[in-house]
């Protein structure tokens, strides 16, 4: 661009001090400055909010850059493009002339392009006999080259801000999950403390999270939640030190243990009938009552399928054998989100998740303990998973569980039909137990 050259717009378009300032800025291109037009365009897209341009205006800029003859913008190759409105409209995805003019004005006001209008307002270039362009009238992309460093800096800042927001959101989500599950654990274990007040404080913090937030909005909330989490952890650690207990998953397992001393449960019980053990027990005259009880617990109850895990015989009563873990998870995939680390790999994980879901559904500890005693821990956890899956159809999960426990003890309830109906409804499970 010629030094000291000032161009005014054609026709009724007025001249402004901003346009004059942009023209002076375009003269400050450093000698030898070059930039890839498409890399520079991507940087403009990243920095779009800071530059004050719309996505439609960027569509027009994209179309303009396709008329630049080379991949690199430089003064040596010229800085003027001169497409007609018809050609520009085609490359701008068929944008109407009126819309095209409006978005060209946005690009000019944002200082990304300049108008260099001819005496009659047409866009063209004069060439010498060798075909080289002597003078051209149209749109100058000189501001892109002059502001290249600024645009790249704005783009880098936008990327950094977006990454900071992502990390802050992740930390806030983890902190929310930690607080929620720690409060649940404290209530389950009967830890003394003002848990109602802590829960109210937690709900207040959640209500302050805006729907559309920046990292600056979320940072103070994250700090307050981190402090609340630290306080809860301190309270739980004091309880552990006082009672000298091991706060791990075995404690949860002990909490749910069946009170029947003769009951034996495998961690991941197979659903296949042990015909060899049945025959041996039937032929052994020395087999005692306790042996018979164990055998009944090892057998599938009633007319239960060996592979699919069908329903137990309604007359079988309590002491039901649990269904395969894979079938339970296929029928009730929602329970997976409450397992340790968001996954369930064995029966211990399922029973731990059931304790969390039990509290969330409002089922009392006594109702769940009765279910564990009447059905067995694995079947009680399975029923909780089924209740979670059918949550929208059950008004009182606690009362429903107590009713199922009573019916199980009378031999009037079988888990199989409910489980198989959910399995058919949900289809193959995307995640499997390891």
């Amino acid at each position: 661009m010629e030094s000291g050259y000032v161009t005014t717009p054609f026709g009724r378009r007025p001249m402004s001090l901003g346009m004059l300032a942009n023209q002076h800025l375009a003269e400050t291109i450093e000698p030898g400055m070059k930039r890839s037009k498409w890399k520079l365009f991507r940087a403009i897209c990243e920095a779009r909010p800071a530059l004050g341009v719309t996505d439609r205006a960027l569509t027009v800029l994209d179309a303009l850059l396709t008329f630049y003859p080379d991949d690199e913008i430089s003064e040596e190759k010229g800085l003027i493009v001169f497409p007609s409105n018809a050609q520009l409209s085609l490359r701008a995805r068929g944008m109407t002339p009126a819309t095209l003019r409006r978005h060209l004005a946005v690009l000019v006001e944002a200082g990304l392009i300049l108008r260099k209008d001819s005496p009659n307002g047409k866009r063209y270039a004069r060439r010498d006999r060798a075909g080289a362009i002597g003078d051209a009238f149209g749109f100058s992309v000189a501001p892109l080259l002059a502001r290249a460093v600024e645009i790249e800096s704005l783009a880098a800042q936008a990327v950094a801000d977006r990454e900071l927001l992502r990390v802050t959101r992740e930390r806030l989500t983890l902190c929310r999950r930690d607080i929620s599950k720690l409060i649940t654990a404290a209530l389950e274990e009967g830890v003394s403390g003002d848990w109602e007040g802590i829960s109210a404080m937690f709900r207040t913090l959640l209500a302050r999270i805006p729907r559309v937030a920046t990292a600056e909005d979320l940072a103070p909330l994250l700090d307050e939640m981190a402090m609340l989490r630290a306080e809860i952890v301190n309270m739980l650690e004091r309880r552990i030190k006082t009672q000298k207990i091991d706060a791990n998953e075995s404690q949860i397992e002990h909490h749910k243990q069946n009170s029947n001393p003769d009951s034996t449960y495998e961690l991941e019980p197979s659903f296949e009938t042990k015909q060899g053990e049945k025959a041996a027990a039937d032929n052994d005259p020395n087999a005692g009552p306790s042996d018979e009880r164990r055998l009944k617990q090892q057998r599938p109850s009633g007319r239960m399928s060996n592979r699919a895990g069908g329903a137990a015989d309604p007359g079988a009563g309590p002491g039901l054998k649990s269904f395969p873990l894979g079938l339970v998870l296929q029928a009730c995939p929602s329970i997976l989100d409450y397992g340790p680390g968001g996954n369930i790999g064995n029966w211990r994980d399922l029973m731990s998740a059931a304790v969390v879901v039990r509290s969330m559904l409002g089922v009392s500890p006594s109702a769940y303990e009765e279910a564990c005693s009447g059905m067995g821990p694995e079947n009680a956890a399975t029923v909780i998973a089924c209740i979670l899956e059918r949550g929208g159809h059950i008004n009182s999960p606690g009362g429903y569980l107590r009713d199922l426990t009573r019916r199980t003890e009378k031999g009037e309830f079988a888990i199989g039909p409910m489980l198989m109906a959910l399995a058919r409804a949900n289809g193959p499970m995307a995640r499997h137990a390891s």
Side-chain angles (χ1 to χ4, degrees):
M1 190 170 180
E2 297 177 22
S3 178
Y5 181 80
V6 175
T7 177
T8 56
F10 171 78
R12 296 181 180 180
R13 288 192 297 270
M15 183 66 177
S16 67
L17 293 179
M19 294 170 63
L20 184 61
N22 289 335
Q23 291 185 29
H24 283 299
L25 177 64
E27 297 175 6
T28 62
I29 300 174
E30 296 180 3
M33 172 75 80
K34 295 180 180 180
R35 283 294 188 277
S36 166
K37 64 181 181 181
W38 298 124
K39 288 183 179 179
L40 193 56
F41 178 73
R42 283 194 292 272
I44 293 170
C45 291
E46 291 283 2
R48 180 177 66 83
L51 293 172
V53 291
T54 63
D55 53 348
R56 299 295 300 280
L58 291 182
T59 300
V60 176
L61 180 60
D62 180 28
L64 277 175
L65 290 177
T66 62
F67 290 98
Y68 193 81
D70 199 79
D71 283 341
E72 283 192 337
I73 301 175
S74 63
E75 284 190 289
E76 291 78 8
K77 296 171 184 176
L79 298 172
I80 305 293
V81 290
F82 40 89
S84 66
N85 279 343
Q87 291 175 316
L88 190 56
S89 176
L90 285 175
R91 296 198 189 182
R93 283 89 171 155
M95 192 175 290
T96 61
T99 305
L100 193 65
R101 288 192 294 272
R102 186 168 67 253
H103 292 300
L104 284 169
V106 171
L107 293 173
V108 172
E109 291 173 6
L112 296 178
I113 61 173
L114 291 175
R115 293 182 184 274
K116 185 180 178 183
D117 289 344
S118 66
N120 62 2
K122 301 293 183 182
R123 301 176 201 136
Y124 58 87
R126 291 198 183 96
R127 301 178 183 271
D128 57 22
R129 292 183 178 181
I133 295 177
D135 201 0
F137 299 95
F139 297 103
S140 172
V141 295
L144 298 182
L145 206 55
R147 300 180 63 185
V149 175
E150 175 197 353
I151 291 170
E152 290 163 352
S153 176
L154 290 173
Q157 185 61 48
V159 171
D161 290 345
R162 187 169 63 246
E163 180 64 15
L164 178 60
L165 178 60
R166 183 188 66 80
V167 171
T168 304
R169 284 188 178 278
E170 283 183 355
R171 291 176 178 172
L172 187 62
T173 299
L174 291 173
C175 199
R176 290 172 60 182
R177 186 183 70 189
D178 292 346
I179 293 173
S180 177
K181 293 195 174 184
L182 287 172
I183 291 175
T184 300
L187 294 173
E188 287 291 331
E189 299 294 337
V191 179
S192 60
D194 183 17
W195 297 111
E196 288 295 330
I198 290 174
S199 297
M201 187 184 305
F202 180 45
R203 289 192 295 270
T204 301
L205 289 174
L206 293 179
R208 287 170 51 195
I209 299 176
R211 294 186 62 182
V212 180
T214 63
E216 290 75 14
D217 296 330
L218 297 179
L221 288 171
L222 177 59
D223 290 341
E224 292 183 48
M225 282 200 181
M227 292 175 62
L228 181 60
R229 178 177 59 184
E231 180 62 26
I232 295 172
V233 170
N234 287 337
M235 294 172 68
L236 297 178
E237 287 178 346
R238 285 197 295 269
R239 169 64 177 265
I240 293 172
K241 291 177 182 178
T242 301
Q243 297 190 355
K244 297 181 180 179
I245 61 174
D246 186 14
N248 54 24
E249 292 176 354
S250 64
Q251 179 67 17
I252 299 175
E253 184 70 18
H254 176 73
H255 176 71
K256 298 181 295 181
Q257 185 177 357
N258 194 335
S259 60
N260 185 353
D262 292 330
S263 296
T264 57
Y265 296 94
E266 300 171 1
L267 195 60
E268 291 192 47
S270 172
F271 198 49
E272 297 179 357
T273 305
K274 301 184 179 179
Q275 297 291 348
E277 292 182 13
K278 176 181 181 300
D282 290 342
N283 296 327
D284 186 0
N286 298 320
S290 61
D291 296 328
E292 293 177 1
R293 283 193 296 269
R294 282 194 210 85
L295 181 58
K296 288 180 181 178
Q297 290 162 356
Q298 291 169 352
R299 296 175 188 164
S301 301
R303 297 181 299 275
M304 199 177 290
S305 167
N306 287 344
R307 293 182 62 83
D313 187 344
L320 302 176
K321 189 169 180 65
S322 57
F323 287 77
L325 180 62
L327 176 62
V328 175
L329 297 182
Q330 178 179 333
C332 309
S334 297
I335 195 74
L336 286 164
D337 295 331
Y338 299 91
N343 193 25
I344 293 176
N346 51 50
W347 281 101
R348 187 187 300 271
D349 291 346
L350 178 63
M351 290 186 283
S352 298
V355 172
V356 176
V357 172
R358 189 277 302 162
S359 176
M360 184 187 72
L361 293 175
V363 177
S364 66
S366 61
Y368 186 65
E369 288 173 5
E370 290 175 8
C372 289
S373 178
M375 303 178 183
E378 292 91 348
N379 285 324
T382 300
V383 171
I384 287 291
C386 291
I387 292 174
L388 174 65
E389 202 67 32
R390 299 180 58 206
H393 305 283
I394 299 173
N395 294 328
S396 175
Y400 185 64
L401 181 62
R402 287 187 187 274
D403 180 61
L404 295 184
T405 303
R406 285 192 295 268
R407 290 170 57 191
T408 300
E409 292 171 347
K410 294 178 182 179
E412 298 174 352
F413 170 69
I415 302 174
M418 178 169 63
L419 195 63
M420 295 307 294
L422 288 172
R424 287 191 297 270
N426 291 322
M429 188 181 62
R431 292 177 288 183
H432 296 277
S434 57

